[in-house]
Amino acid sequence: MALTGIQIFKLLPKTNCKECGVPTCLAFAMNLASGKAELDSCPYVSEEARTQLSEASAPPIRPIVVGNGVRKATTGGETVQYRHEKTFYSPTLLAALVGSDIAAADLEAKLKDWNAFQYERVGLNLRPELVAVKDANGNADAFAAVAKQVAETSEFNVILITEDTDVMKAGVAACAFKRPLMYAATEANADAMGAIAKENDLPLAVKAASIDGLTALTEKLTGMGLKDLVLDPGSREPKQSHQDMIAIRRAALKNGNRAVGFPTIAFPCEMASNLDVETMIAAMYIAKYGGIVVLSDFAGESLFPLLLERLNIFTDPQRPMTVTEGIYPINNPDENSRVLVTTNFALTYFIVSGEIEASKVPTWLLIKDSEGLSVLTAWAAGKFAGDDVGMFVKKSGIIDKVKHQEIVIPGYAAAIVGDVEEELPGWTITVGPREAAHIPGFLRA
Ligand code: SF4
Protein backbone atom coordinates (compact mmCIF):
# COMPACT_ATOMS: atom_id res chain seq x y z
CA MET A 1 0.00 0.00 0.00
CA ALA A 2 1.12 3.54 -0.64
CA LEU A 3 2.63 5.40 2.32
CA THR A 4 1.27 8.72 3.54
CA GLY A 5 3.38 11.87 3.45
CA ILE A 6 4.02 11.63 7.21
CA GLN A 7 5.07 7.97 6.94
CA ILE A 8 7.48 8.90 4.16
CA PHE A 9 8.78 11.89 6.16
CA LYS A 10 9.79 9.57 9.02
CA LEU A 11 12.11 7.72 6.61
CA LEU A 12 13.83 10.86 5.24
CA PRO A 13 17.07 12.39 6.69
CA LYS A 14 15.17 15.48 8.07
CA THR A 15 18.10 17.83 7.42
CA ASN A 16 16.07 20.24 5.24
CA CYS A 17 19.12 20.71 3.01
CA LYS A 18 16.90 21.76 0.04
CA GLU A 19 18.91 19.79 -2.52
CA CYS A 20 15.73 18.10 -3.74
CA GLY A 21 14.41 21.48 -4.85
CA VAL A 22 11.92 22.10 -2.03
CA PRO A 23 12.61 23.85 1.28
CA THR A 24 11.99 20.97 3.68
CA CYS A 25 12.03 17.19 3.92
CA LEU A 26 8.35 17.39 4.90
CA ALA A 27 7.46 19.20 1.67
CA PHE A 28 9.45 16.61 -0.28
CA ALA A 29 7.64 13.80 1.52
CA MET A 30 4.26 15.33 0.65
CA ASN A 31 5.30 15.69 -3.00
CA LEU A 32 6.53 12.10 -3.08
CA ALA A 33 3.26 10.84 -1.59
CA SER A 34 1.23 12.68 -4.23
CA GLY A 35 3.44 11.50 -7.06
CA LYS A 36 4.82 15.00 -7.78
CA ALA A 37 8.44 14.11 -6.90
CA GLU A 38 10.87 11.30 -7.66
CA LEU A 39 12.70 9.55 -4.85
CA ASP A 40 16.00 9.97 -6.73
CA SER A 41 15.79 13.74 -6.17
CA CYS A 42 16.99 13.23 -2.59
CA PRO A 43 20.60 12.01 -2.59
CA TYR A 44 20.65 11.31 1.15
CA VAL A 45 18.03 8.57 1.56
CA SER A 46 19.51 5.51 3.29
CA GLU A 47 19.50 2.18 1.45
CA GLU A 48 17.04 0.73 3.93
CA ALA A 49 14.66 3.66 3.55
CA ARG A 50 15.13 3.56 -0.22
CA THR A 51 13.96 -0.05 -0.34
CA GLN A 52 10.83 0.76 1.65
CA LEU A 53 10.11 3.96 -0.24
CA SER A 54 10.75 2.49 -3.69
CA GLU A 55 8.20 -0.16 -2.96
CA ALA A 56 5.70 2.37 -1.67
CA SER A 57 6.31 4.95 -4.38
CA ALA A 58 6.32 2.42 -7.26
CA PRO A 59 3.59 3.22 -9.79
CA PRO A 60 0.38 1.33 -8.95
CA ILE A 61 0.41 -0.01 -12.52
CA ARG A 62 3.76 -1.63 -13.21
CA PRO A 63 5.65 -0.28 -16.24
CA ILE A 64 6.51 -3.14 -18.61
CA VAL A 65 9.13 -2.84 -21.34
CA VAL A 66 8.24 -4.65 -24.55
CA GLY A 67 10.75 -5.25 -27.32
CA ASN A 68 14.20 -4.07 -28.21
CA GLY A 69 15.74 -1.63 -30.67
CA VAL A 70 14.27 1.61 -31.97
CA ARG A 71 10.65 0.52 -31.42
CA LYS A 72 11.22 -0.70 -27.88
CA ALA A 73 8.49 0.80 -25.73
CA THR A 74 7.02 0.85 -22.25
CA THR A 75 3.41 0.19 -21.39
CA GLY A 76 1.84 0.78 -17.97
CA GLY A 77 3.42 2.98 -15.31
CA GLU A 78 0.23 5.03 -15.03
CA THR A 79 -0.57 6.83 -11.80
CA VAL A 80 -3.92 8.53 -12.42
CA GLN A 81 -7.41 7.56 -13.49
CA TYR A 82 -8.03 10.73 -15.48
CA ARG A 83 -5.53 12.45 -17.70
CA HIS A 84 -6.28 15.94 -16.32
CA GLU A 85 -5.29 14.82 -12.80
CA LYS A 86 -1.65 14.71 -13.89
CA THR A 87 -0.77 12.99 -17.16
CA PHE A 88 -0.77 9.57 -18.80
CA TYR A 89 2.77 8.34 -19.29
CA SER A 90 2.96 5.34 -21.61
CA PRO A 91 1.27 5.69 -24.99
CA THR A 92 -0.88 2.72 -26.00
CA LEU A 93 1.26 0.38 -28.11
CA LEU A 94 -0.25 -0.52 -31.47
CA ALA A 95 0.12 -3.97 -33.03
CA ALA A 96 -1.04 -5.60 -36.27
CA LEU A 97 -1.82 -9.28 -36.57
CA VAL A 98 -0.29 -11.91 -38.88
CA GLY A 99 -1.07 -15.61 -38.88
CA SER A 100 1.75 -18.15 -38.70
CA ASP A 101 0.49 -19.57 -42.02
CA ILE A 102 1.43 -16.44 -43.97
CA ALA A 103 3.86 -16.99 -46.85
CA ALA A 104 7.31 -15.47 -46.41
CA ALA A 105 6.93 -13.27 -49.51
CA ASP A 106 3.54 -11.96 -48.34
CA LEU A 107 4.98 -11.19 -44.92
CA GLU A 108 7.92 -9.41 -46.49
CA ALA A 109 5.54 -7.22 -48.51
CA LYS A 110 3.40 -6.49 -45.43
CA LEU A 111 6.39 -5.53 -43.30
CA LYS A 112 7.62 -3.21 -46.02
CA ASP A 113 4.21 -1.51 -46.24
CA TRP A 114 3.84 -1.29 -42.46
CA ASN A 115 7.32 0.11 -41.99
CA ALA A 116 6.39 3.00 -44.28
CA PHE A 117 3.65 4.08 -41.86
CA GLN A 118 5.67 6.77 -40.09
CA TYR A 119 4.39 10.31 -39.71
CA GLU A 120 6.22 13.48 -38.65
CA ARG A 121 4.11 15.60 -36.34
CA VAL A 122 5.26 18.46 -34.07
CA GLY A 123 8.80 17.14 -34.38
CA LEU A 124 7.87 13.62 -33.36
CA ASN A 125 7.96 10.43 -35.39
CA LEU A 126 4.60 8.71 -34.97
CA ARG A 127 4.58 5.01 -35.82
CA PRO A 128 3.24 1.67 -34.58
CA GLU A 129 5.48 -0.61 -32.55
CA LEU A 130 4.41 -4.24 -32.75
CA VAL A 131 3.51 -7.17 -34.94
CA ALA A 132 1.45 -9.92 -33.29
CA VAL A 133 2.25 -13.37 -34.67
CA LYS A 134 -0.69 -15.72 -34.10
CA ASP A 135 -0.38 -19.49 -34.17
CA ALA A 136 -2.70 -20.56 -37.00
CA ASN A 137 -2.38 -24.35 -37.00
CA GLY A 138 -0.19 -25.58 -34.15
CA ASN A 139 2.85 -25.85 -36.40
CA ALA A 140 5.75 -24.77 -34.16
CA ASP A 141 8.26 -24.48 -37.01
CA ALA A 142 5.99 -22.22 -39.06
CA PHE A 143 5.26 -20.07 -35.98
CA ALA A 144 8.97 -19.74 -35.24
CA ALA A 145 9.78 -18.91 -38.86
CA VAL A 146 7.26 -16.06 -39.00
CA ALA A 147 8.37 -14.70 -35.60
CA LYS A 148 12.00 -14.87 -36.74
CA GLN A 149 11.26 -13.07 -40.01
CA VAL A 150 9.43 -10.24 -38.23
CA ALA A 151 12.14 -9.92 -35.57
CA GLU A 152 15.12 -10.11 -37.89
CA THR A 153 13.93 -8.24 -40.97
CA SER A 154 11.95 -5.37 -39.47
CA GLU A 155 12.16 -2.80 -36.68
CA PHE A 156 8.88 -4.11 -35.27
CA ASN A 157 8.82 -5.88 -31.95
CA VAL A 158 6.81 -9.03 -31.50
CA ILE A 159 3.83 -10.43 -29.63
CA LEU A 160 3.79 -14.23 -29.74
CA ILE A 161 0.20 -15.48 -29.63
CA THR A 162 -0.37 -19.12 -28.78
CA GLU A 163 -1.63 -21.09 -25.81
CA ASP A 164 0.37 -24.15 -26.87
CA THR A 165 3.57 -24.19 -24.81
CA ASP A 166 5.60 -26.16 -27.38
CA VAL A 167 4.70 -23.65 -30.09
CA MET A 168 5.51 -20.81 -27.68
CA LYS A 169 8.92 -22.30 -26.90
CA ALA A 170 9.75 -22.41 -30.61
CA GLY A 171 8.61 -18.80 -31.07
CA VAL A 172 10.62 -17.59 -28.08
CA ALA A 173 13.73 -19.41 -29.32
CA ALA A 174 13.36 -17.66 -32.68
CA CYS A 175 13.04 -14.08 -31.41
CA ALA A 176 14.01 -13.88 -27.71
CA PHE A 177 16.60 -11.22 -28.60
CA LYS A 178 13.71 -8.87 -29.39
CA ARG A 179 12.14 -9.35 -25.93
CA PRO A 180 8.74 -10.44 -27.30
CA LEU A 181 5.55 -10.32 -25.26
CA MET A 182 4.27 -13.87 -24.71
CA TYR A 183 0.47 -14.20 -25.02
CA ALA A 184 -0.99 -15.90 -23.08
CA ALA A 185 -0.89 -17.71 -19.78
CA THR A 186 -4.29 -19.20 -18.96
CA GLU A 187 -5.65 -21.30 -16.16
CA ALA A 188 -4.73 -24.39 -18.17
CA ASN A 189 -1.10 -23.54 -19.01
CA ALA A 190 0.00 -20.96 -16.41
CA ASP A 191 2.73 -23.13 -14.86
CA ALA A 192 4.41 -23.97 -18.16
CA MET A 193 4.00 -20.48 -19.68
CA GLY A 194 5.26 -18.93 -16.45
CA ALA A 195 8.33 -21.17 -16.55
CA ILE A 196 9.14 -20.17 -20.17
CA ALA A 197 8.71 -16.46 -19.36
CA LYS A 198 10.87 -16.76 -16.26
CA GLU A 199 13.62 -18.71 -17.97
CA ASN A 200 13.84 -16.16 -20.80
CA ASP A 201 13.06 -13.07 -18.69
CA LEU A 202 10.15 -12.09 -20.95
CA PRO A 203 6.91 -10.20 -20.31
CA LEU A 204 3.89 -12.49 -20.17
CA ALA A 205 0.25 -11.70 -20.94
CA VAL A 206 -2.36 -13.36 -18.74
CA LYS A 207 -5.81 -14.23 -20.06
CA ALA A 208 -8.88 -15.17 -18.06
CA ALA A 209 -12.63 -15.03 -18.54
CA SER A 210 -13.12 -12.37 -15.85
CA ILE A 211 -11.21 -9.97 -13.61
CA ASP A 212 -11.53 -12.40 -10.68
CA GLY A 213 -9.99 -15.11 -12.84
CA LEU A 214 -7.17 -12.74 -13.74
CA THR A 215 -6.47 -11.95 -10.09
CA ALA A 216 -6.03 -15.63 -9.23
CA LEU A 217 -3.66 -16.12 -12.17
CA THR A 218 -1.51 -13.04 -11.54
CA GLU A 219 -1.14 -14.01 -7.87
CA LYS A 220 0.03 -17.43 -8.95
CA LEU A 221 2.50 -16.03 -11.52
CA THR A 222 3.90 -13.33 -9.23
CA GLY A 223 4.32 -16.11 -6.66
CA MET A 224 6.56 -17.82 -9.23
CA GLY A 225 8.72 -14.68 -9.31
CA LEU A 226 7.27 -13.11 -12.49
CA LYS A 227 6.86 -9.36 -12.38
CA ASP A 228 6.23 -8.25 -15.96
CA LEU A 229 2.62 -9.22 -16.66
CA VAL A 230 0.00 -7.84 -19.04
CA LEU A 231 -3.72 -8.39 -18.46
CA ASP A 232 -6.44 -9.60 -20.81
CA PRO A 233 -9.77 -9.80 -18.98
CA GLY A 234 -11.16 -11.91 -21.81
CA SER A 235 -14.29 -10.16 -23.02
CA ARG A 236 -14.55 -9.47 -26.76
CA GLU A 237 -17.80 -7.54 -26.41
CA PRO A 238 -16.99 -3.77 -26.53
CA LYS A 239 -19.22 -2.63 -23.65
CA GLN A 240 -18.11 -5.37 -21.25
CA SER A 241 -14.49 -4.99 -22.28
CA HIS A 242 -14.65 -1.22 -21.75
CA GLN A 243 -16.10 -1.75 -18.27
CA ASP A 244 -13.38 -4.30 -17.47
CA MET A 245 -10.65 -1.85 -18.49
CA ILE A 246 -12.08 0.82 -16.21
CA ALA A 247 -12.57 -1.62 -13.34
CA ILE A 248 -8.96 -2.82 -13.60
CA ARG A 249 -7.61 0.73 -13.62
CA ARG A 250 -9.77 1.71 -10.66
CA ALA A 251 -8.86 -1.38 -8.66
CA ALA A 252 -5.15 -0.76 -9.22
CA LEU A 253 -5.22 2.99 -8.53
CA LYS A 254 -7.98 3.52 -5.99
CA ASN A 255 -7.86 0.25 -4.08
CA GLY A 256 -4.12 -0.39 -4.41
CA ASN A 257 -4.87 -3.90 -5.69
CA ARG A 258 -1.42 -5.07 -6.82
CA ALA A 259 -2.87 -8.26 -8.36
CA VAL A 260 -4.27 -6.11 -11.20
CA GLY A 261 -1.53 -3.47 -11.11
CA PHE A 262 -0.39 -4.25 -14.67
CA PRO A 263 -1.04 -2.81 -18.14
CA THR A 264 -3.73 -4.36 -20.31
CA ILE A 265 -3.96 -5.77 -23.82
CA ALA A 266 -7.06 -5.47 -26.04
CA PHE A 267 -8.08 -7.06 -29.33
CA PRO A 268 -10.25 -4.86 -31.57
CA CYS A 269 -9.21 -7.28 -34.34
CA GLU A 270 -11.50 -9.87 -32.72
CA MET A 271 -14.36 -7.47 -32.03
CA ALA A 272 -15.37 -6.02 -35.39
CA SER A 273 -16.19 -7.18 -38.89
CA ASN A 274 -14.91 -4.12 -40.72
CA LEU A 275 -12.08 -1.64 -40.46
CA ASP A 276 -14.25 1.35 -39.49
CA VAL A 277 -15.74 -0.35 -36.45
CA GLU A 278 -12.40 -1.87 -35.52
CA THR A 279 -10.80 1.59 -35.64
CA MET A 280 -13.51 3.07 -33.41
CA ILE A 281 -13.05 0.29 -30.86
CA ALA A 282 -9.28 0.81 -30.95
CA ALA A 283 -9.84 4.54 -30.40
CA MET A 284 -11.87 3.70 -27.30
CA TYR A 285 -8.98 1.67 -25.87
CA ILE A 286 -6.46 4.43 -26.55
CA ALA A 287 -8.61 6.75 -24.44
CA LYS A 288 -9.43 4.12 -21.79
CA TYR A 289 -7.22 2.15 -20.88
CA GLY A 290 -5.59 -0.18 -23.35
CA GLY A 291 -1.87 -0.67 -22.78
CA ILE A 292 -1.50 -2.62 -26.03
CA VAL A 293 -4.09 -2.67 -28.83
CA VAL A 294 -3.99 -5.39 -31.48
CA LEU A 295 -5.45 -4.50 -34.91
CA SER A 296 -6.14 -6.87 -37.78
CA ASP A 297 -3.91 -4.79 -40.10
CA PHE A 298 -2.20 -1.42 -40.37
CA ALA A 299 -3.96 0.77 -42.94
CA GLY A 300 -3.09 4.45 -43.29
CA GLU A 301 -6.68 5.66 -43.01
CA SER A 302 -7.14 4.00 -39.62
CA LEU A 303 -3.60 4.09 -38.25
CA PHE A 304 -2.94 7.82 -38.75
CA PRO A 305 -5.98 9.02 -36.76
CA LEU A 306 -5.20 6.48 -34.03
CA LEU A 307 -1.61 7.73 -33.80
CA LEU A 308 -2.84 11.32 -33.61
CA GLU A 309 -5.36 10.44 -30.92
CA ARG A 310 -2.60 8.69 -29.01
CA LEU A 311 -0.34 11.73 -29.31
CA ASN A 312 -3.06 13.96 -27.87
CA ILE A 313 -4.11 11.65 -25.04
CA PHE A 314 -0.56 10.96 -23.91
CA THR A 315 0.69 14.56 -24.01
CA ASP A 316 1.11 16.12 -20.58
CA PRO A 317 -1.87 18.52 -20.32
CA GLN A 318 0.00 20.68 -17.82
CA ARG A 319 3.06 21.18 -20.03
CA PRO A 320 2.58 22.73 -23.45
CA MET A 321 4.72 21.25 -26.19
CA THR A 322 7.54 23.65 -26.96
CA VAL A 323 10.58 24.07 -29.14
CA THR A 324 13.86 25.59 -28.00
CA GLU A 325 14.31 29.35 -28.18
CA GLY A 326 16.78 30.36 -30.87
CA ILE A 327 17.48 31.04 -34.52
CA TYR A 328 16.19 28.54 -37.09
CA PRO A 329 17.59 28.89 -40.64
CA ILE A 330 15.10 27.68 -43.26
CA ASN A 331 15.86 27.26 -46.98
CA ASN A 332 19.56 28.27 -46.55
CA PRO A 333 19.18 31.94 -45.63
CA ASP A 334 22.01 34.48 -46.00
CA GLU A 335 22.73 38.00 -44.78
CA ASN A 336 19.99 39.46 -46.99
CA SER A 337 17.25 37.03 -45.96
CA ARG A 338 14.21 38.15 -44.03
CA VAL A 339 13.84 37.56 -40.31
CA LEU A 340 10.53 36.37 -38.90
CA VAL A 341 9.87 36.08 -35.18
CA THR A 342 7.23 33.99 -33.42
CA THR A 343 6.55 32.04 -30.20
CA ASN A 344 7.89 28.65 -29.08
CA PHE A 345 4.54 26.78 -28.98
CA ALA A 346 5.42 23.61 -30.91
CA LEU A 347 2.36 23.74 -33.14
CA THR A 348 3.05 27.39 -34.00
CA TYR A 349 6.66 26.56 -34.83
CA PHE A 350 5.86 23.57 -37.03
CA ILE A 351 3.06 25.32 -38.90
CA VAL A 352 5.10 28.49 -39.49
CA SER A 353 8.32 26.65 -40.39
CA GLY A 354 6.33 24.34 -42.70
CA GLU A 355 4.87 27.32 -44.57
CA ILE A 356 8.28 28.99 -44.86
CA GLU A 357 9.76 25.75 -46.18
CA ALA A 358 6.93 25.44 -48.67
CA SER A 359 7.57 29.01 -49.87
CA LYS A 360 11.17 28.02 -50.75
CA VAL A 361 12.22 31.56 -49.72
CA PRO A 362 15.41 31.60 -47.62
CA THR A 363 14.37 32.92 -44.21
CA TRP A 364 15.61 33.23 -40.64
CA LEU A 365 12.97 32.19 -38.12
CA LEU A 366 13.48 33.50 -34.58
CA ILE A 367 11.71 31.49 -31.91
CA LYS A 368 11.13 33.36 -28.66
CA ASP A 369 10.39 31.48 -25.45
CA SER A 370 6.73 32.20 -24.63
CA GLU A 371 6.34 29.29 -22.20
CA GLY A 372 4.67 27.26 -24.92
CA LEU A 373 1.87 29.73 -25.64
CA SER A 374 0.65 30.53 -29.13
CA VAL A 375 1.02 34.10 -30.46
CA LEU A 376 -2.31 35.59 -29.42
CA THR A 377 -2.36 33.85 -26.03
CA ALA A 378 1.27 34.76 -25.36
CA TRP A 379 0.63 38.39 -26.25
CA ALA A 380 -2.46 38.49 -24.01
CA ALA A 381 -0.51 36.88 -21.17
CA GLY A 382 2.39 39.30 -21.49
CA LYS A 383 4.80 36.60 -22.71
CA PHE A 384 5.22 38.19 -26.14
CA ALA A 385 5.37 41.88 -25.19
CA GLY A 386 7.10 44.39 -27.45
CA ASP A 387 10.06 45.19 -25.18
CA ASP A 388 10.60 41.46 -24.52
CA VAL A 389 10.61 40.69 -28.22
CA GLY A 390 12.98 43.58 -28.90
CA MET A 391 15.40 42.44 -26.20
CA PHE A 392 15.22 38.88 -27.46
CA VAL A 393 16.08 39.98 -31.01
CA LYS A 394 19.14 41.86 -29.66
CA LYS A 395 20.32 38.89 -27.59
CA SER A 396 19.53 36.22 -30.18
CA GLY A 397 22.63 36.85 -32.29
CA ILE A 398 20.64 37.49 -35.49
CA ILE A 399 22.36 40.88 -35.76
CA ASP A 400 25.60 39.06 -36.66
CA LYS A 401 23.90 37.00 -39.37
CA VAL A 402 22.12 39.68 -41.42
CA LYS A 403 23.21 43.06 -42.75
CA HIS A 404 19.73 44.62 -42.75
CA GLN A 405 17.68 45.74 -39.77
CA GLU A 406 14.18 44.49 -40.37
CA ILE A 407 12.08 41.92 -38.54
CA VAL A 408 8.64 40.59 -39.29
CA ILE A 409 6.31 40.03 -36.33
CA PRO A 410 3.13 37.90 -36.46
CA GLY A 411 -0.06 39.64 -37.59
CA TYR A 412 -1.81 38.73 -34.35
CA ALA A 413 0.86 40.65 -32.39
CA ALA A 414 0.49 43.88 -34.44
CA ALA A 415 -0.16 45.81 -31.22
CA ILE A 416 3.45 45.40 -30.07
CA VAL A 417 5.01 47.26 -33.03
CA GLY A 418 5.57 50.50 -31.09
CA ASP A 419 7.24 48.81 -28.14
CA VAL A 420 9.48 46.71 -30.40
CA GLU A 421 10.53 49.87 -32.29
CA GLU A 422 11.38 51.56 -29.01
CA GLU A 423 13.55 48.63 -27.99
CA LEU A 424 15.17 48.36 -31.43
CA PRO A 425 15.78 51.95 -32.58
CA GLY A 426 16.59 52.18 -36.27
CA TRP A 427 14.94 48.86 -37.12
CA THR A 428 11.98 48.42 -39.40
CA ILE A 429 9.26 46.35 -37.79
CA THR A 430 6.91 44.82 -40.33
CA VAL A 431 3.62 43.20 -39.39
CA GLY A 432 3.33 39.84 -41.13
CA PRO A 433 0.24 37.80 -41.95
CA ARG A 434 -2.19 36.68 -39.28
CA GLU A 435 -2.56 33.23 -40.76
CA ALA A 436 0.43 30.98 -41.40
CA ALA A 437 -1.13 29.91 -44.70
CA HIS A 438 -0.49 33.43 -46.03
CA ILE A 439 3.23 33.39 -45.20
CA PRO A 440 4.43 32.00 -48.58
CA GLY A 441 2.60 34.76 -50.48
CA PHE A 442 3.94 37.37 -48.05
CA LEU A 443 7.54 36.15 -48.40
CA ARG A 444 7.40 35.98 -52.17
CA ALA A 445 5.89 39.47 -52.56
S1 SF4 B 1 17.32 16.50 -0.39
FE1 SF4 B 1 16.59 14.98 1.04
S2 SF4 B 1 17.44 15.62 2.97
FE2 SF4 B 1 17.57 17.38 1.66
S3 SF4 B 1 15.66 18.51 2.01
FE3 SF4 B 1 15.28 17.17 0.32
S4 SF4 B 1 14.43 15.35 1.26
FE4 SF4 B 1 15.41 16.47 2.88
Side-chain angles (χ1 to χ4, degrees), residues 12-13 15-20 24-25 28 42-44:
L12 293 176
T15 56
N16 299 334
C17 72
K18 303 186 180 62
E19 280 189 43
C20 53
T24 62
C25 294
F28 180 71
C42 172
Y44 303 111

Side-chain angles (χ1 to χ4, degrees), residues 38-157:
E38 305 286 336
L39 183 57
D40 286 344
S41 302
C42 172
Y44 303 111
V45 181
S46 70
E47 271 316 305
E48 190 191 338
R50 184 174 292 278
T51 310
Q52 285 185 53
L53 288 170
S54 300
E55 188 102 333
S57 61
I61 297 174
R62 184 175 169 78
I64 310 286
V65 175
V66 179
N68 249 326
V70 292
R71 300 202 192 202
K72 169 175 149 181
T74 299
T75 178
E78 305 301 345
T79 57
V80 292
Q81 187 86 16
Y82 302 107
R83 176 179 173 271
H84 64 262
E85 291 176 68
K86 190 175 181 195
T87 183
F88 291 165
Y89 290 101
S90 304
T92 305
L93 307 183
L94 298 177
L97 197 67
V98 290
S100 60
D101 54 353
I102 188 170
D106 293 344
L107 179 57
E108 185 184 342
K110 257 188 193 297
L111 291 173
K112 193 168 167 231
D113 286 351
W114 290 349
N115 191 51
F117 289 130
Q118 301 193 38
Y119 307 90
E120 293 298 324
R121 189 85 176 180
V122 288
L124 301 170
N125 178 248
L126 310 184
R127 60 190 177 190
E129 294 80 11
L130 294 161
V131 170
V133 180
K134 185 172 184 179
D135 176 21
N137 47 23
N139 182 334
D141 291 341
F143 186 71
V146 172
K148 185 176 162 72
Q149 189 178 345
V150 174
E152 289 185 354
T153 67
S154 79
E155 291 176 347
F156 287 104
N157 286 302

Side-chain angles (χ1 to χ4, degrees), residues 272-284:
S273 56
N274 65 60
L275 182 67
D276 293 349
V277 176
E278 185 181 318
T279 307
M280 281 195 290
I281 295 172
M284 171 185 84

Side-chain angles (χ1 to χ4, degrees), residues 49-368:
R50 184 174 292 278
T51 310
Q52 285 185 53
L53 288 170
S54 300
E55 188 102 333
S57 61
I61 297 174
R62 184 175 169 78
I64 310 286
V65 175
V66 179
N68 249 326
V70 292
R71 300 202 192 202
K72 169 175 149 181
T74 299
T75 178
E78 305 301 345
T79 57
V80 292
Q81 187 86 16
Y82 302 107
R83 176 179 173 271
H84 64 262
E85 291 176 68
K86 190 175 181 195
T87 183
F88 291 165
Y89 290 101
S90 304
T92 305
L93 307 183
L94 298 177
L97 197 67
V98 290
S100 60
D101 54 353
I102 188 170
D106 293 344
L107 179 57
E108 185 184 342
K110 257 188 193 297
L111 291 173
K112 193 168 167 231
D113 286 351
W114 290 349
N115 191 51
F117 289 130
Q118 301 193 38
Y119 307 90
E120 293 298 324
R121 189 85 176 180
V122 288
L124 301 170
N125 178 248
L126 310 184
R127 60 190 177 190
E129 294 80 11
L130 294 161
V131 170
V133 180
K134 185 172 184 179
D135 176 21
N137 47 23
N139 182 334
D141 291 341
F143 186 71
V146 172
K148 185 176 162 72
Q149 189 178 345
V150 174
E152 289 185 354
T153 67
S154 79
E155 291 176 347
F156 287 104
N157 286 302
V158 184
I159 304 174
L160 297 171
I161 301 184
T162 180
E163 292 177 18
D164 181 322
T165 49
D166 290 332
V167 175
M168 182 62 83
K169 271 185 199 159
V172 166
C175 67
F177 72 98
K178 272 265 177 113
R179 191 173 160 75
L181 169 66
M182 294 169 51
Y183 177 99
T186 62
E187 200 179 346
N189 69 14
D191 289 316
M193 283 290 186
I196 300 170
K198 191 165 182 201
E199 190 184 329
N200 294 278
D201 189 23
L202 295 179
L204 174 63
V206 186
K207 182 185 176 187
S210 66
I211 296 176
D212 287 345
L214 271 183
T215 305
L217 273 176
T218 58
E219 281 172 350
K220 176 177 192 169
L221 290 163
T222 48
M224 289 168 66
L226 291 163
K227 290 183 176 162
D228 292 344
L229 302 177
V230 174
L231 308 178
D232 175 5
S235 173
R236 297 294 183 262
E237 193 280 311
K239 186 177 173 197
Q240 181 61 50
S241 178
H242 180 55
Q243 287 172 351
D244 288 347
M245 291 285 167
I246 294 170
I248 288 172
R249 176 70 63 104
R250 286 191 73 83
L253 295 184
K254 309 289 180 202
N255 307 333
N257 183 349
R258 292 279 181 191
V260 289
F262 301 98
T264 57
I265 185 167
F267 290 86
C269 59
E270 296 178 8
M271 301 164 76
S273 56
N274 65 60
L275 182 67
D276 293 349
V277 176
E278 185 181 318
T279 307
M280 281 195 290
I281 295 172
M284 171 185 84
Y285 287 124
I286 288 174
K288 287 188 178 195
Y289 292 109
I292 300 171
V293 165
V294 184
L295 305 163
S296 58
D297 198 355
F298 289 139
E301 65 272 30
S302 85
L303 183 62
F304 181 60
L306 291 175
L307 288 168
L308 277 191
E309 180 198 3
R310 182 174 82 169
L311 174 68
N312 286 322
I313 298 281
F314 288 86
T315 299
D316 187 343
Q318 295 170 40
R319 245 194 12 219
M321 296 182 78
T322 60
V323 291
T324 311
E325 181 175 274
I327 304 173
Y328 291 77
I330 302 175
N331 301 332
N332 298 316
D334 61 20
E335 58 191 11
N336 298 310
S337 302
R338 292 186 104 162
V339 178
L340 272 59
V341 60
T342 191
T343 70
N344 75 334
F345 178 42
L347 203 53
T348 300
Y349 168 77
F350 285 103
I351 291 172
V352 170
S353 62
E355 293 294 344
I356 297 173
E357 264 176 52
S359 77
K360 303 213 175 357
V361 179
T363 304
W364 299 100
L365 179 60
L366 295 190
I367 294 295
K368 182 191 174 306

